[in-house]
Amino acid sequence: KKSILETDDYSLSRGKYLSNSTNLNSDYPLKALKDICEITMGQSPKSEFYNEIGKGLEFHQGKTNFGDIKLQPSGVWTSQYNKVAEENSILMSVRAPVGPVNITERKIALGRGLSGIKTNKDCDQMYLFYLLQSSQEKLTKSSHGSTFDSINRNQLLDFEIPIPPIETQKKIVNELEGYQSMIHGCRQVAENYKPFIEIDSSWNFY
């Protein structure tokens, strides 16, 4: 009761108040997101401000336009907005589904289904991106096994991750990006592969 009364955003959802402890095994110290980044929760403007002529800021409500890593265009703008994600922010889906992440290369207006995350000097932005990407199950499952249908700012701020020295973080990012390049190359080969079978005129046809 005390924990619930400490926040202004009451909810009838039981899962919201269950523990989402990470239980990570790591040789590096664990830090809560509130110690290494700034989190902006989205707030949807009134629909009357939406447009498709590029007036205002590009608007994103949820993960609909998430790519593998980078956010794709939505084709929707809003002339008035309250919450934004700055260029190169991590975007996280905070309403079902909870946890998917992307990177925006441009400033956008945030709807209530997204949060924008920017790290401080102690944490590499892409290190946090890859770590959050791999922690989606921990973000979406409480310690009691129920699934969160949404996650609020306080829950995100209290989420703990291992923080190695910044040099180690950058090495991890470089290695992961090398794997990503290999995966991308394999996908291109698979998508463009067109097998050729030479037909022998003597074969029987059925």
Side-chain angles (χ1 to χ4, degrees):
K1 291 180 181 178
K2 181 180 178 182
S3 175
I4 293 172
L5 291 172
E6 286 176 351
T7 66
D8 296 326
D9 53 343
Y10 302 109
S11 172
L12 297 178
S13 173
R14 171 178 172 271
K16 175 180 175 181
Y17 300 108
L18 300 176
S19 169
N20 66 336
S21 173
T22 54
N23 296 319
L24 291 173
N25 294 318
S26 174
D27 295 330
Y28 300 111
L30 296 178
K31 288 189 177 182
L33 293 187
K34 61 188 173 186
D35 297 323
I36 59 169
C37 63
E38 179 61 35
I39 295 176
T40 301
M41 304 301 286
Q43 182 178 343
S44 300
K46 294 181 179 179
S47 59
E48 63 194 74
F49 300 121
Y50 299 169
N51 67 90
E52 298 179 357
I53 59 174
K55 184 178 180 181
L57 274 185
E58 185 180 333
F59 174 66
H60 289 263
Q61 178 77 289
K63 68 173 289 291
T64 302
N65 302 111
F66 277 16
D68 289 340
I69 294 178
K70 296 179 181 179
L71 182 70
Q72 304 302 306
S74 68
V76 178
W77 289 261
T78 177
S79 56
Q80 290 196 23
Y81 44 86
N82 295 311
K83 302 295 182 178
V84 302
E86 299 294 337
E87 180 182 354
N88 294 322
S89 290
I90 297 171
L91 301 177
M92 177 184 287
S93 176
V94 293
R95 290 175 179 265
V98 172
V101 289
N102 241 213
I103 295 286
T104 178
E105 297 181 306
R106 56 204 177 275
K107 184 177 179 179
I108 64 167
L110 289 175
R112 65 178 182 170
L114 294 175
S115 68
I117 304 173
K118 290 285 284 187
T119 60
N120 63 22
K121 61 182 179 62
D122 296 323
C123 183
D124 182 86
Q125 186 84 340
M126 289 306 298
Y127 169 78
L128 179 59
F129 170 80
Y130 286 120
L131 197 147
L132 291 175
Q133 190 180 56
S134 67
S135 302
Q136 184 173 341
E137 184 176 354
K138 296 181 186 299
L139 280 162
T140 58
K141 294 287 186 182
S142 75
S143 60
H144 298 270
S146 61
T147 302
F148 293 125
D149 56 2
S150 66
I151 191 168
N152 63 34
R153 186 171 184 271
N154 289 334
Q155 289 171 306
L156 281 179
L157 289 173
D158 290 337
F159 190 76
E160 293 182 328
I161 63 169
I163 298 293
I166 194 70
E167 296 81 8
T168 302
Q169 295 178 38
K170 292 183 181 297
K171 288 180 180 178
I172 293 171
V173 170
N174 288 337
E175 185 171 353
L176 289 174
E177 289 182 342
Y179 294 144
Q180 287 291 340
S181 296
M182 292 172 60
I183 292 170
H184 181 67
C186 290
R187 282 180 178 171
Q188 285 188 317
V189 171
E191 289 171 359
N192 292 296
Y193 174 64
K194 296 180 180 179
F196 174 75
I197 301 176
E198 187 174 353
I199 303 298
D200 189 327
S201 60
S202 64
W203 291 352
N204 293 323
F205 287 81
Y206 298 95

